[in-house]
Amino acid sequence: MSATETITETVKRGAARGEAPAKTSQTPQGLFCMWHGLSFGRWMQLLGQHPPLSWRKALRIGSITGLSALNSSSNLLEQLLYGRKIARTRIEHPPVFILGHWRSGTTLLHNLMTLDPQFTYPNLYQTLFPQNFLLTETVVSTLTGPLIPKTRPMDNVAAGWKLPQEDEVALLLMTLLSPYLLLAYNTDRAKTDPYLELSEIPPHELDLWKRMFLYFLKKLTIKADKPIVLKSPSHTFRVPLLLELFPDAKFVYIRRDPYAVYKSSVHLRRTLFHENALAVPDESHIEQDALDWMEHCLRRYESTKHLIPPGNLHELRFEDLEADPVGEMHRLYDGLSFSGWEGVEPAIRAQLPELQSYKKNKFSSLPPDVRQRVYQRLRFAFEEYDYPDQLGEEAA
C-alpha cells in the first residue's frame, strides 16, 4: 500500500515484466478492491463482525460475495493439487524485509531491489489471491490484465498483476488479522491496532498468523526458490516476531522527512478508504490516526532494532536514495554483504531516466498549526533522523 512514496516503476521495467507503460495521471483502482481476494468463509466472517455497510457500495459488496465463492472453489482445488507439495516445501533462504513507515520510500526501494534476479518477491496477483495463485495466476492474470489500471490510485507508480506488492495484503485476506482491517472499520482502532505488533493478540490468532505467513512464503518459494524480498510497512512494528521466525533475516530500514510522510499518509488513507471501503468512509479521524500510527511505528522500530544481529540491518534515507539511487543501492549491497552488485548495477542505471522524470504527487505546505502538532509528537524522530523542524519563528 503504498504518493510521493515514490518513484518508480518505470516504463522499461514494466514492459520487461509484461505490463503496459505507466501513465502519469492518477486513475481509480478499477474493478478490483482488496476484499475481492477473500474466500467465502473469510467474507462471511468479516460480515459477521458487522462492519459498516452502505447501499452506495452495493455493487462492490455483491461482487465480493460472488467472487469469494469462486475463490473458495479455486482454493480447495489448489489445495487438492498442491497441498502436499506446499507442506513439503522448506524456506531455505532467509527473507529480506524492507521496513519503514508508509510513504517513506519503501516502494521505491522494493522496486529497485527486485530488479536483481537473485531475489524473488510477491506480486499483486499473488497477494490478492494468496490461496489459489499456484493454480490460477497464469491464466487469470493474462485474461484480466487489461482490467488493471496502469497506475496505483494514490500516486503515479505503475501497477499491474506482475509487479511487486505488499505481503500484508495476503495476510489480511488469509487471516483477517491485519491492521488493514481499517479499510472496513476506518474509525474503530480497537479492530486494527492489535494487529500492528501482534504481540498481545490471543495465542490462537498468533498461531494462525504465523502458519498463514509461512504458508504464503512456501508458495512463493515454489514459484521461485530464491531469497524473498518482502515490503510491508506493518512489518516495521514486528521485528521481534520476524526474528523469531527467521533469525538470519536481513532488514533494510528507510526513513524520510516526517512532514512529507505525514502529508502523504493522510492522502493515502483517504484514497484507500474510498477505493476499498464497504461504506461511505468517515474521514474525521484520518489526520489524528495517521499521526498516532507514525509515532507508534517510529518508536517501535527504534526500540526493537537492537535485536537484529550485527550485519543484518542497513538503514538509509529516502532523500539520499532519490538523489543517488546507484550509490545508495551499492552501499546497501555492501552493508548487507549481498553478492551480485556487478550484475544489478546496469539494471538500476537503466532506470535513472525514468526515475528523474517521475512526477510525484504535489501537496500544499502544512499549515503552521499542523506543522507544530506534527513536530511536537515526532520531535524525537526529527532529532534522531536529523531533519529540520521548519518551524522558524512560529516555534514561539
Side-chain angles (χ1 to χ4, degrees):
M1 297 212 358
S2 44
T4 305
E5 174 179 283
T6 74
I7 318 185
T8 207
E9 234 339 281
T10 69
V11 172
K12 182 173 181 180
R13 184 180 180 200
R17 285 177 169 151
E19 306 295 338
K23 300 176 182 178
T24 57
S25 60
Q26 287 187 340
T27 61
Q29 190 163 282
L31 290 177
F32 295 100
C33 76
M34 203 170 295
W35 307 112
H36 280 105
L38 286 170
S39 68
F40 185 77
R42 289 292 182 216
W43 178 228
M44 291 299 103
Q45 179 185 345
L46 179 61
L47 293 180
Q49 295 171 358
H50 307 294
L53 303 176
S54 170
W55 285 110
R56 294 174 62 178
K57 305 294 183 180
L59 179 60
R60 176 175 295 169
I61 293 169
S63 64
I64 294 170
T65 303
L67 190 55
S68 70
L70 182 59
N71 286 337
S72 288
S73 300
S74 299
N75 297 352
L76 177 59
L77 182 57
E78 182 185 273
Q79 185 61 30
L80 291 173
L81 295 175
Y82 291 93
R84 291 184 179 179
K85 184 174 184 178
I86 296 170
R88 293 195 304 265
T89 298
R90 295 293 177 262
I91 304 168
E92 302 289 350
H93 309 286
V96 180
F97 292 98
I98 294 175
L99 308 180
H101 191 277
W102 294 266
R103 321 313 295 147
S104 292
T106 55
T107 295
L108 170 59
L109 189 53
H110 199 201
N111 288 331
L112 290 175
M113 287 195 67
T114 54
L115 288 171
D116 190 337
Q118 73 173 305
F119 298 123
T120 188
Y121 56 89
N123 65 33
L124 176 60
Y125 188 91
Q126 293 160 357
T127 57
L128 192 56
F129 300 103
Q131 292 176 275
N132 62 56
F133 68 80
L134 292 178
L135 175 70
T136 63
E137 181 178 9
T138 300
V139 173
V140 177
S141 65
T142 300
L143 294 176
T144 60
L147 303 177
I148 303 299
K150 302 310 176 188
T151 58
R152 303 186 304 179
M154 76 288 286
D155 55 27
N156 296 315
V157 174
W161 282 134
K162 299 180 182 180
L163 299 182
Q165 184 54 267
E166 295 183 27
D167 54 293
E168 187 68 35
V169 176
L171 291 165
L172 168 69
L173 298 173
M174 291 190 293
T175 69
L176 294 182
L177 307 175
S178 168
Y180 289 177
L181 281 171
L182 66 87
L183 298 174
Y185 306 96
N186 73 308
T187 60
D188 190 349
R189 296 274 296 275
K191 296 283 190 182
T192 61
D193 286 16
Y195 301 121
L196 291 167
E197 295 184 17
L198 300 170
S199 58
E200 297 183 0
I201 63 175
H204 70 278
E205 289 190 347
L206 183 59
D207 180 66
L208 173 63
W209 189 93
K210 290 179 180 179
R211 287 190 291 108
M212 290 296 98
F213 185 40
L214 295 175
Y215 177 81
F216 182 65
L217 298 190
K218 286 182 177 183
K219 293 181 63 176
L220 294 177
T221 300
I222 290 174
K223 296 285 285 188
D225 191 4
K226 304 175 182 181
I228 305 169
V229 181
L230 298 166
K231 187 276 294 189
S232 288
S234 46
H235 287 328
T236 311
F237 297 83
R238 304 167 182 160
V239 169
L241 177 58
L242 298 178
L243 287 171
E244 175 189 332
L245 296 174
F246 300 103
D248 297 322
K250 303 280 191 177
F251 296 84
V252 185
Y253 177 71
I254 186 167
R255 56 184 180 266
R256 187 182 184 188
D257 180 351
Y259 290 131
V261 173
Y262 171 77
K263 288 189 292 184
S264 195
S265 295
V266 171
H267 171 70
L268 171 69
R269 285 173 175 252
R270 288 199 174 101
T271 302
L272 291 180
F273 287 158
H274 284 283
E275 295 291 341
N276 296 277
L278 304 174
V280 178
D282 178 355
E283 298 187 357
S284 61
H285 298 271
I286 284 181
E287 295 183 3
Q288 183 62 48
D289 290 350
L291 193 53
D292 288 347
W293 274 27
M294 277 188 67
E295 181 179 11
H296 186 184
C297 180
L298 301 183
R299 288 192 183 278
R300 175 66 172 175
Y301 170 74
E302 291 298 326
S303 68
T304 58
K305 69 178 184 180
H306 70 278
L307 300 173
I308 301 173
N312 286 359
L313 170 65
H314 181 80
E315 297 184 334
L316 72 162
R317 291 162 55 108
F318 166 78
E319 293 82 2
D320 296 334
L321 182 63
E322 183 180 43
D324 182 15
V326 175
E328 284 301 310
M329 291 301 294
H330 194 181
R331 283 184 277 276
L332 187 158
Y333 270 62
D334 286 345
L336 294 178
S337 301
F338 288 148
S339 61
W341 171 250
E342 296 78 10
V344 73
E345 181 182 5
I348 295 176
R349 288 192 180 279
Q351 303 302 304
L352 296 182
E354 297 297 337
L355 296 179
Q356 292 166 356
S357 66
Y358 173 83
K359 293 181 172 60
K360 294 187 287 187
N361 285 341
K362 296 182 182 297
F363 301 102
S364 59
S365 298
L366 290 175
D369 62 320
V370 176
R371 201 156 61 240
Q372 286 215 24
R373 186 164 67 249
V374 172
Y375 180 74
Q376 289 169 359
R377 287 288 298 274
L378 301 177
R379 180 172 179 171
F380 72 96
F382 281 91
E383 295 175 350
E384 177 70 23
Y385 300 156
D386 195 25
Y387 284 103
D389 59 43
Q390 300 181 29
L391 296 179
E393 296 179 359
E394 293 160 358

